[in-house]
Amino acid sequence: LVEGQPWGMLQQRYDNAMHHVVVGLKGEAAGWDFTSSLTSGRHSVHRVYDGGMVVSGYNTVRLKPEEIGLDPSKYSAETLAQFETYRRKDDRVLDHGQTRLRTLGLLGSRELMETDNGPVMLGVGLDGRQESVHYAPGVGVANRPAFDGQRNNWALHAEVQVPVTEKFEATAALRHDRYSDFGDVQTGKLGFKWAPEKAWMFRGSWGTGFRAPTLGQMVPSKSLVTEVEVPNTTTNERIPMYTMGNPDLKPERSEQWMLGLRWEPTAQWTLGADFWNLDIHDTFGNLPGRMILLDPLLNAKYFANGAISSPNLNLGKSSSQGVDYDIQWRKPTDWGRLRMSLRGMHVMKSQRQAYEGGEMDSNLGRYSSATGTVMARNQWAMSVMLEKSMLAAGATLNYRSGNTEQATLYDIDGKSMNYEHSVADDWTVDVFGRWQIKPALFLNVGIKNITNRMPPFRMKTLNVLNGVDTRYGDYYGRTLQLKIEYKF
């Protein structure tokens, strides 16, 4: 259906509801400074089709010979009545999802001892969280089954900060997490900060980390996500591909290091850059459908009854490297304090394995068919803001560099050719404002993508929408955001 026809464009509505409550307490006790908090949050999404839908029998509608090629507004009343008969009058529910998160946090810090270069500081913490998820498809949506999940997580962590010299400071941290669904994880970090002069500061760190799989990735349910073209044929036959949760999924584990500097030559200017490296083991993901069809062992394991079932797996390693940078300028003026900033990231390496033991495949500036991902070489945001008394207003220019992608094109006779498509650079402009109505009451207003710019066309996506990959852009267009804050 296209715009202009009697049934109109297919329209979808998202209803989002978010509730978040935080209660906290700060104070001192027995030489400790402490902060505690309790939070409870819920996010629900209800998706429906509310326009452009038809009911069974719509294909019996026929135009009169003299109406063929006419604008729909010129159809006869009899023909328009036929169309109206098969227009769906009520909304069709696509699905409903809800997540809940409850957390408990307790942080404490104190001086352990005094040295000639300053105090040795200790910080400790206790964190607890309970998360749950509920998903229910609409009536007649058979390819996305309902599921529910819940888990608990407790963590203990500690950090020590030591002033080694007047200008050199070192830190060390340890953390232990226990998850109810996959067990224990230990991580740690070492870091330093060196300020040889007032205008210069150098810093660095090394550490380990982890990322827990989501509840949806672990619940053993099956969902249709795409169709895979059968390789090495000219029939254009496509096979449905389902993804599945995996309760045996392990957390991703990472090792990272960073070296950086900051320079403040004047009171108006601040410049900084951090060179970083990140290596991840046991990455989450699904085996590509084409790989499953071509590999005899994978085919025997994951292809049956005319469909591919690709579970979430720990696939292997990934490695990335780049530079984060920022430049900030501020100056008081007769109209208020003017701020300008540029924050960005330049990626020099991004590669990962499609499966454990496989070759590392780069996705930097190119779509990787092996992993189904692409990494932009450059991303940055340039902002300008004016602050005066209780008001603030500004704008941000967001940029993401493009990439290449390889696709196979077919003509009407089934002949194919390999084609390299260049995805254009993408940019959007956001504007925002903030009004402090009272000391504790704030109103925030923003318009995202004020130019109503659509993301660049992509031939390779993992979405049901052709041309848009919502991992790297959205199709909402111009979006108004309102937020009221009250602090007490």
Side-chain angles (χ1 to χ4, degrees):
L1 299 178
V2 296
E3 191 172 11
Q5 290 183 345
W7 287 316
M9 291 285 288
L10 182 64
Q11 297 178 4
Q12 191 177 90
R13 186 182 79 244
Y14 287 10
D15 296 322
N16 281 268
M18 289 179 283
H19 307 278
H20 188 66
V21 178
V22 181
V23 178
L25 182 65
K26 295 182 179 180
E28 293 185 30
W32 288 84
D33 295 321
F34 70 88
T35 302
S36 61
S37 64
L38 285 171
T39 72
S40 179
R42 184 180 68 181
H43 180 202
S44 61
V45 179
H46 188 68
R47 301 193 300 174
V48 300
Y49 289 110
D50 63 355
M53 295 290 293
V54 295
V55 297
S56 178
Y58 71 92
N59 53 345
T60 61
V61 176
R62 296 291 183 271
L63 296 178
K64 297 178 179 180
E66 63 271 19
E67 293 174 330
I68 297 175
L70 293 180
D71 185 273
S73 62
K74 297 181 180 179
Y75 293 166
S76 67
E78 180 184 357
T79 299
L80 290 174
Q82 289 187 65
F83 278 104
E84 193 62 28
T85 299
Y86 296 101
R87 182 193 301 277
R88 182 168 180 142
K89 305 300 194 298
D90 56 337
D91 295 345
R92 181 192 175 190
V93 177
L94 178 61
D95 57 16
H96 177 82
Q98 178 178 285
T99 60
R100 293 187 67 95
L101 178 64
R102 298 181 176 93
T103 69
L104 163 68
L106 178 61
L107 298 173
S109 64
R110 64 171 299 166
E111 291 185 14
L112 279 183
M113 57 182 297
E114 187 69 36
T115 71
D116 293 339
N117 303 308
V120 177
M121 300 297 297
L122 170 67
V124 296
L126 169 67
D127 298 325
R129 56 189 283 151
Q130 180 187 77
E131 54 184 309
S132 62
V133 60
H134 167 76
Y135 177 80
V139 177
V141 181
N143 294 323
R144 288 190 290 272
F147 68 87
D148 292 272
Q150 180 176 303
R151 71 171 168 216
N152 301 316
N153 163 228
W154 288 94
L156 291 170
H157 49 94
E159 180 174 350
V160 177
Q161 187 179 87
V162 181
V164 181
T165 70
E166 183 181 355
K167 298 181 179 181
F168 187 89
E169 181 180 278
T171 59
L174 288 173
R175 181 182 176 99
H176 177 85
D177 283 81
R178 173 179 285 274
Y179 280 79
S180 59
D181 46 4
F182 61 76
D184 300 337
V185 182
Q186 286 76 228
T187 54
K189 178 182 177 180
L190 296 173
F192 75 90
K193 183 171 68 174
W194 177 44
E197 297 180 9
K198 183 178 180 180
W200 287 93
M201 188 268 286
F202 298 89
R203 60 189 175 191
S205 65
W206 169 91
T208 58
F210 78 99
R211 182 164 71 108
T214 66
L215 287 170
Q217 288 175 312
M218 300 188 71
V219 174
S221 62
K222 181 188 292 187
S223 299
L224 178 67
V225 291
T226 187
E227 291 184 336
V228 180
E229 184 178 306
V230 178
N232 303 325
T233 67
T234 58
T235 60
N236 294 340
E237 179 185 358
R238 305 184 75 84
I239 294 175
M241 178 174 170
Y242 294 82
T243 61
M244 301 169 57
N246 180 3
D248 298 322
L249 204 61
K250 298 182 295 185
E252 290 183 345
R253 294 179 178 270
S254 65
E255 180 179 345
Q256 57 274 338
W257 56 260
M258 178 273 292
L259 289 173
L261 62 88
R262 296 205 67 80
W263 181 41
E264 299 184 4
T266 68
Q268 285 74 41
W269 286 95
T270 301
L271 300 90
D274 295 309
F275 176 49
W276 53 264
N277 186 86
L278 173 63
D279 296 311
I280 302 176
H281 302 272
D282 297 325
T283 57
F284 303 142
N286 301 86
L287 293 172
R290 181 180 176 87
M291 178 183 295
I292 292 174
L293 294 176
L294 290 174
D295 188 296
L297 294 178
L298 298 177
N299 190 290
K301 190 173 183 180
Y302 299 119
F303 178 63
N305 301 321
I308 300 169
S309 296
S310 179
N312 286 287
L313 297 171
N314 294 108
L315 296 178
K317 299 183 295 185
S318 73
S319 181
S320 54
Q321 194 175 87
V323 177
D324 293 339
Y325 57 88
D326 68 275
I327 303 173
Q328 301 178 60
W329 176 82
R330 53 192 178 274
K331 183 178 178 62
T333 69
D334 293 338
W335 305 282
R337 183 185 295 109
L338 182 63
R339 296 180 182 270
M340 299 181 68
S341 67
L342 172 66
R343 301 177 185 273
M345 176 176 68
H346 173 70
V347 181
M348 295 177 286
K349 179 177 72 172
S350 178
Q351 55 187 14
R352 65 182 295 172
Q353 293 174 311
Y355 56 94
E356 188 174 4
E359 294 184 359
M360 300 292 283
D361 185 74
S362 175
N363 67 348
L364 182 58
R366 60 182 287 270
Y367 183 90
S368 168
S369 296
T371 61
T373 59
V374 60
M375 172 61 73
R377 192 177 296 273
N378 288 290
Q379 299 180 71
W380 50 257
M382 182 182 296
S383 300
V384 58
M385 181 169 64
L386 183 65
E387 301 171 310
K388 184 173 183 178
S389 186
M390 316 294 268
L391 298 171
T396 301
L397 172 65
N398 306 288
Y399 171 83
R400 178 187 174 91
S401 61
N403 61 275
T404 60
E405 54 184 7
Q406 286 71 40
T408 303
L409 304 181
Y410 295 91
D411 62 18
I412 195 172
D413 299 319
K415 296 179 181 179
S416 63
M417 64 171 288
N418 294 325
Y419 172 69
E420 181 172 280
H421 173 237
S422 294
V423 178
D425 297 353
D426 187 26
W427 59 265
T428 58
V429 177
D430 305 333
V431 297
F432 54 87
R434 180 179 175 89
W435 175 28
Q436 185 175 358
I437 304 172
K438 294 181 178 180
L441 183 62
F442 300 85
L443 173 64
N444 297 275
V445 181
I447 303 177
K448 297 189 65 176
N449 192 7
I450 193 171
T451 62
N452 204 32
R453 181 180 174 89
M454 290 297 291
F457 174 78
R458 295 180 182 273
M459 303 184 72
K460 294 285 191 177
T461 72
L462 291 182
N463 305 105
V464 294
L465 291 173
N466 293 327
V468 177
D469 195 321
T470 52
R471 295 174 299 174
Y472 313 120
D474 65 59
Y475 50 88
Y476 294 130
R478 186 184 298 112
T479 307
L480 174 65
Q481 296 180 330
L482 297 173
K483 181 181 178 181
I484 296 177
E485 294 179 79
Y486 181 73
K487 299 181 179 181
F488 58 92

